[in-house]
Amino acid sequence: MSASLEDLPLRDDLRGKIPYGAPQASVPIALNVNENTHPVPQEVADDILDGIAVALREINRYPDREFDTLREAFADYLGHGLTAQNMWAANGSNEVLQHIMQAFGGPGRTVFGFGPTYSMYPLLAAGTGAGWVAGERGHDFTLTPEFAAEQVAEADPDIILLCSPNNPTGTPLPIDVIEAVYEASRGVVVVDEAYWEFAPHDQRSALTLLHDRPRLAVSRTMSKAFAFAGARVGYLAANPAFIDALRLVRLPYHLSSLTQAAALGALRHADTMLAMVDDIVAQRDRMGATLSALGYEPYESWTNFILFGGVNDPAATWRALFERGVLVRDVGLPGTLRVSAGTEDETTAFLDQLASIDSQA
Ligand code: PMP
């Protein structure tokens, strides 16, 4: 008695679509989904557990629907004069982005991003029945203010998603591109800073642009720098009116009390959690240098991963690495593969295995 998707009364606009599908395989060295491969330090884990234990005592009650304490903690962490009224959070920044799609997208509306970019954007747009328009990038996936603004003015989208730095390419997004796109648009402009903590520390975050720009929002996640992917916590900073719009579409009590307690615990230890970031950046840069030495062409990256070109047969190299216990990502860009920076040992294992494949080719 098995039915297929075609037999079900699925929405017409979802027919033929493919779900998000990074392969899930159990391998010793998993460097395919840009996770932080460092475990949460024991003393932080213990403190988080204490917070969860307290939350459990009241688990018969619904959680704080407005998650006021957590919003305050996010505002404190971000700085820039932000307050709890500027903050939003959800189960991963994917859900934050989904709330934006639900509030500002929907049937007949357009979502715009510069491809190649995060593969969930078109799926999130489609989930609300909105159309997706992919703009173009220039040389090495970079963008100039003029080229970006011109395309945005032409497409006239309701939502613009700017991934800064960009996934899957790692490319930095100059702050004047964000300013130019904002000026050229009438829709909401969302800067996805999922990987911001891995960018050079002297660079300006889009958070510095929020003042006086009510259509601008900056999303972040605890999944990467905070090594908290399994907890599912993403957050966003914007004008309070923007936050009110998101409140219209969220499910009541969408952030469980256990999630709120866990996130608060991790934020209490932000310094310890972020100490791993410098280590990962060092591994990323070592990986870039070694990839070049091996004859590959790594793209500039401000993230915790590197896209590298010069791969003759990405599918074959992906498989050869997989057979050696190393999982990387073939993101479908010709001649490239993407790999996350791991711990020093994991990064060395990846580089050694890649070198060994190379010498056999
Ligand atoms: N934005 C970007 C650019 C990402 O790469 C990811 C995760 N890979 C996300 C958002 C979503 O992350 P999460 O839902 O874990 O916060």
Side-chain angles (χ1 to χ4, degrees), residues 3-361:
S4 79
L5 202 48
E6 281 80 57
D7 303 324
L8 297 174
L10 185 68
R11 273 164 42 188
D12 288 339
D13 59 319
L14 292 182
R15 285 193 188 279
K17 286 218 153 44
I18 297 165
Y20 173 86
Q24 295 204 85
S26 186
V27 291
I29 316 275
L31 301 175
N32 63 326
V33 283
N34 302 338
E35 292 156 332
N36 184 330
T37 65
H38 294 63
V40 171
Q42 191 58 49
E43 72 270 23
V44 181
D46 289 344
D47 196 35
I48 292 173
L49 264 182
D50 288 348
I52 289 177
V54 173
L56 260 180
R57 282 191 224 123
E58 290 196 34
I59 205 76
N60 55 313
R61 301 288 181 184
Y62 281 114
D64 175 3
R65 200 175 50 217
E66 295 301 324
F67 46 101
D68 287 327
T69 315
L70 182 59
R71 284 161 68 212
E72 212 170 296
F74 278 128
D76 285 349
Y77 168 66
L78 288 182
H80 295 285
L82 295 165
T83 69
Q85 282 68 47
N86 298 108
M87 302 306 305
W88 188 245
N91 297 282
S93 52
N94 278 334
E95 193 185 42
V96 170
L97 296 174
Q98 185 178 49
H99 287 162
I100 295 171
M101 300 291 159
Q102 289 175 310
F104 298 102
R109 296 213 165 186
T110 305
V111 184
F112 178 97
F114 293 97
T117 191
Y118 182 37
S119 62
M120 274 304 297
Y121 295 160
L123 293 179
L124 286 162
T128 70
W132 168 253
V133 175
E136 285 174 29
R137 291 169 182 272
H139 177 66
D140 281 355
F141 308 116
T142 58
L143 282 168
T144 61
E146 299 74 29
F147 189 43
E150 195 181 296
Q151 295 183 65
V152 166
E154 165 84 28
D156 192 28
D158 300 280
I159 302 174
I160 300 137
L161 298 172
L162 301 176
C163 196
S164 172
N166 188 47
N167 182 12
T169 60
T171 320
L173 184 72
I175 199 126
D176 56 359
V177 172
I178 302 169
E179 290 172 302
V181 164
Y182 191 88
E183 290 312 313
S185 60
R186 59 163 181 86
V188 295
V189 177
V190 182
V191 184
D192 179 349
E193 292 192 338
Y195 298 95
W196 186 257
E197 287 91 342
F198 301 99
H201 296 321
D202 59 351
Q203 295 296 325
R204 260 178 72 194
S205 152
L207 292 171
T208 60
L209 298 178
L210 281 176
H211 188 66
D212 283 348
R213 287 186 179 84
R215 290 182 287 114
L216 183 67
V218 180
S219 74
R220 295 270 185 108
T221 180
M222 295 188 82
S223 295
K224 314 293 177 179
F226 275 88
F228 228 45
R232 312 302 303 125
V233 188
Y235 53 105
L236 170 134
N239 189 282
F242 197 109
I243 308 298
D244 283 341
L246 305 182
R247 222 175 247 119
L248 295 173
V249 297
R250 60 100 189 274
L251 295 174
Y253 315 110
H254 68 289
L255 270 185
S256 87
S257 13
L258 303 184
T259 304
Q260 293 186 39
L264 278 168
L267 285 165
R268 273 198 299 276
H269 296 275
D271 289 349
T272 315
M273 299 291 272
L274 294 176
M276 300 175 269
V277 166
D278 288 343
D279 204 39
I280 294 164
V281 166
Q283 296 311 316
R284 175 196 74 199
D285 292 344
R286 176 169 74 99
M287 200 158 72
T290 311
L291 283 166
S292 294
L294 289 172
Y296 293 100
E297 292 145 23
Y299 289 90
E300 180 181 12
S301 171
W302 279 12
T303 63
N304 66 344
F305 59 84
I306 290 186
L307 181 80
F308 58 100
V311 187
N312 290 334
D313 184 347
T317 303
W318 182 91
R319 178 138 298 278
L321 284 168
F322 181 66
E323 281 159 4
R324 289 161 174 77
V326 181
L327 193 56
V328 299
R329 187 89 176 265
D330 181 352
V331 293
L333 293 173
T336 72
L337 286 172
R338 193 193 70 187
V339 57
S340 315
T343 59
E344 183 172 0
D345 287 351
E346 288 169 328
T347 305
T348 301
F350 157 71
L351 291 168
D352 286 353
Q353 296 303 345
L354 186 68
S356 78
I357 296 166
D358 214 35
S359 59
Q360 287 164 11

